[in-house]
Structure formats: C-alpha cells, structure tokens
Amino acid sequence: MVPVVLRPYSGEILYSWLARTAAVYGVDHSGLLGFPATPWDLLAAPAPPETLRRLAEFTRMPETALADLTIGGTDLPQRWWSIRQITPDPSAPNMESTYRPTITFCRLCLWNDFITDGNEYLRVKWMAALPTICPLHRVPMEDSCNFCSAWGLPISVRTNRGFRFVCAE
C-alpha cells in the first residue's frame, strides 16, 4: 500500500488510473503494484481474481469497482473491443498471430482534460472499436503516436500542472 492513490475519474480505464498513480512515484505500473500485471489485465479483460484481489488491497477499492474500470466490466461483447493483431514474425516456426489491446483516443479530449483540470485520462468507452469519430469534437479517433506513429500504450508523466500521456516508445 502506498500513501497516495489518486481516485479514478468517472469513465476512466484502470490502466490510465494506475499510470497516473505510478507517475507520482516515477515507476511503471508493475513497479507500482509490486507484482507483474499485463496491459491486458489493466485494459480490457476482466483481471484474474488474484490480480483484482491484490489491486483492491493496494488501492483500497472494492474488487467490483475495479472490474468496472475495464472494458470487460461493461456489457460490450468482446468482438467490439479495440484489439490490434500483431503481425507474426515470418521466421517463427508456428506463424501464430498474437493480439493486444489498443487504445483509441481523441487528442482534443485529452487536450481539453489538461487545460481544464490539468490531468489527461483515458476512457473506458475509447476501448470499444465502435467509436471512430469523437462524438464531442467530431474528429477521427487516433490510435498511434502523432510523432513516431508507434502503437504502444502511452505512459503517464507528471507535469507542473498534472498528468499527461506521452508515447512510451
């Protein structure tokens, strides 16, 4: 248990909330939690019971509330989740495809978060594959870094005003 655990924003995804809390201490989410948790555990899938139990103990929040911070906690079927296929390595003997969750986001929503409150946060509803246009700003949702085009999950960094998400690459 750490002294400061930020409260999640309404509609914030578990990964985003833990990334902001980890930024307070200058570590990644696994360093913060003290046990390995995959991005899949913190984004989309209902986290394994042991992970949820340890998260509940760490954050002092009920397990049910934590489960609601993932897209797995919504009623949206998995076929509508935002998941990206990773191209298999052509030299791999089994040629199996792997998948990972992806975050789509509205850059203007994040900018608005930062200007109004000082803290950017990622929303659970952005994990769905359905929204391709931001309903608020009427711009296309994005899924990669604006500078390097990487698809990696962003990390949260602490600024003098609050927290911003930046490319992890």
Side-chain angles (χ1 to χ4, degrees):
M1 205 174 323
V2 295
V4 175
V5 178
L6 306 172
R7 294 290 103 197
Y9 287 102
S10 176
E12 184 171 16
I13 199 158
L14 183 61
Y15 175 85
S16 172
W17 174 45
L18 290 176
R20 287 189 305 112
T21 303
V24 169
Y25 297 100
V27 296
D28 65 3
H29 65 272
S30 290
L32 174 73
L33 298 173
F35 60 91
T38 68
W40 186 250
D41 291 341
L42 304 176
L43 283 174
E50 177 64 15
T51 301
L52 272 181
R53 185 189 64 71
R54 292 174 81 177
L55 275 171
E57 183 180 300
F58 172 77
T59 61
R60 300 179 289 278
M61 283 185 67
E63 290 180 31
T64 53
L66 290 170
D68 289 345
L69 297 176
T70 67
I71 197 168
T74 68
D75 294 330
L76 191 65
Q78 188 173 2
R79 67 181 171 270
W80 293 109
W81 295 1
S82 189
I83 300 171
R84 181 177 302 284
Q85 178 180 346
I86 307 304
T87 306
D89 181 0
S91 62
N94 59 10
M95 291 295 290
E96 291 181 14
S97 298
T98 56
Y99 300 86
R100 70 174 177 202
T102 249
I103 296 247
T104 55
F105 56 91
C106 171
R107 200 169 299 281
L108 294 177
C109 284
L110 292 175
W111 180 78
N112 189 51
D113 292 343
F114 189 71
I115 296 301
T116 58
D117 187 47
N119 296 317
E120 296 178 347
Y121 67 96
L122 305 172
R123 284 108 167 126
V124 173
K125 65 183 178 185
W126 290 350
M127 281 299 300
L130 296 174
T132 56
I133 303 290
C134 174
L136 183 62
H137 297 105
R138 309 268 191 252
V139 297
M141 299 291 278
E142 299 178 44
D143 66 353
S144 61
C145 175
N146 206 26
F147 301 105
C148 72
S149 300
W151 288 332
L153 296 173
I155 58 171
S156 186
V157 294
R158 195 171 190 174
T159 68
N160 59 351
R161 282 204 68 213
F163 299 95
R164 295 202 76 175
F165 278 95
V166 298
C167 181
E169 300 297 320

